[in-house]
């Protein structure tokens, strides 16, 4: 015969996430955090007690592109990212990389409105990741198209990569 945390034989009282016996603080299903940023990318890490079937979040501060090793469909735009897999692939119980966030420039990347779904679509409880300050990793500078180390230039009409040229009278013609 075993006692629960309240000392009741065969009782069902358990310790909550705040360490309180019989408390009401629910533990999050998933904890998210940022990995170390390097070479214009940072990993979104997870620790989960359940399989993750997909995710959605809003972002601001830095423009990002997202890839995921778990989900076949990743869509981002207008400050929102959505990822899932039509075949039912999941990010498995445990810890790992949920997504890799590629960025250019520098600033504070803020993730908000995070929604995670379980295998089968139910909403999971989560905490984190908050924000991270990212540093620009482009040592060669950006061209007019925003490509690190690129060679695109503005033509005389101010069009990046345009074909307009100056004639002998310094008039710009396309």
């Amino acid at each position: 015969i075993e006692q629960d945390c309240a000392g009741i034989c065969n009782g069902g009282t358990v310790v909550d996430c705040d360490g309180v016996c019989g408390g009401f603080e629910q533990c999050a299903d998933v904890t998210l955090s940022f990995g170390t940023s390097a070479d214009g990318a940072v990993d979104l890490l997870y620790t989960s007690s359940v399989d993750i079937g997909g995710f959605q979040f809003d972002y601001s501060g830095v423009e990002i592109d997202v890839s995921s090793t778990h989900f076949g469909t990743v869509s981002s735009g207008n400050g929102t990212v959505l990822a899932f897999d039509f075949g039912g692939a999941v990010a498995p119980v445990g810890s790992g990389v949920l997504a890799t966030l590629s960025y250019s420039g520098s600033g504070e990347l803020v993730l908000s409105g995070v929604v995670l779904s379980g295998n089968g679509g139910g909403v999971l409880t989560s905490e984190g990741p908050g924000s991270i300050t990212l540093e620009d990793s482009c040592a060669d500078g950006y061209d007019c198209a925003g490509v690190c180390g690129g060679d695109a230039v503005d033509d005389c009409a101010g069009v990046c990569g345009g074909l307009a040229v100056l004639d002998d009278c310094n008039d710009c013609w396309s």
Side-chain angles (χ1 to χ4, degrees), residues 10-24:
N10 293 325
T13 308
V14 296
V15 176
D16 72 2
C17 283
D18 283 339
V20 176
C21 178
F24 297 102

Side-chain angles (χ1 to χ4, degrees), residues 12-167:
T13 308
V14 296
V15 176
D16 72 2
C17 283
D18 283 339
V20 176
C21 178
F24 297 102
E25 185 64 33
Q26 246 188 334
C27 298
D29 295 318
V30 182
T31 301
L32 299 173
S33 61
F34 289 111
T36 303
S37 64
D39 298 326
V42 62
D43 288 332
L44 179 59
L45 306 174
Y46 76 94
T47 300
S48 182
S49 60
V50 296
D51 289 340
I52 302 170
F55 62 86
Q56 178 177 328
F57 60 80
D58 295 327
Y59 65 91
S60 62
V62 175
E63 197 57 40
I64 60 174
D65 287 320
V66 181
S67 62
S68 173
T69 56
H70 302 286
F71 307 108
T73 302
V74 179
S75 176
S76 64
N78 296 323
T80 300
V81 172
L82 173 66
F84 62 94
D85 191 273
F86 284 113
V90 297
V93 169
S95 298
V97 176
L98 187 62
T100 298
L101 314 176
S102 300
Y103 64 92
S104 60
S106 60
E108 182 179 24
L109 172 62
V110 179
L111 300 189
S112 60
V114 176
V115 177
L116 299 166
S117 64
N119 188 11
V123 176
L124 303 176
T125 58
S126 66
E127 57 185 40
S131 65
I132 184 172
T133 300
L134 301 172
E135 298 297 324
D136 192 346
S137 64
C138 181
D140 296 328
Y142 295 93
D143 66 8
C144 63
V147 176
C148 177
D151 59 2
V153 295
D154 288 335
D155 66 8
C156 62
V159 176
C160 181
L163 300 176
V165 294
L166 291 174
D167 65 13

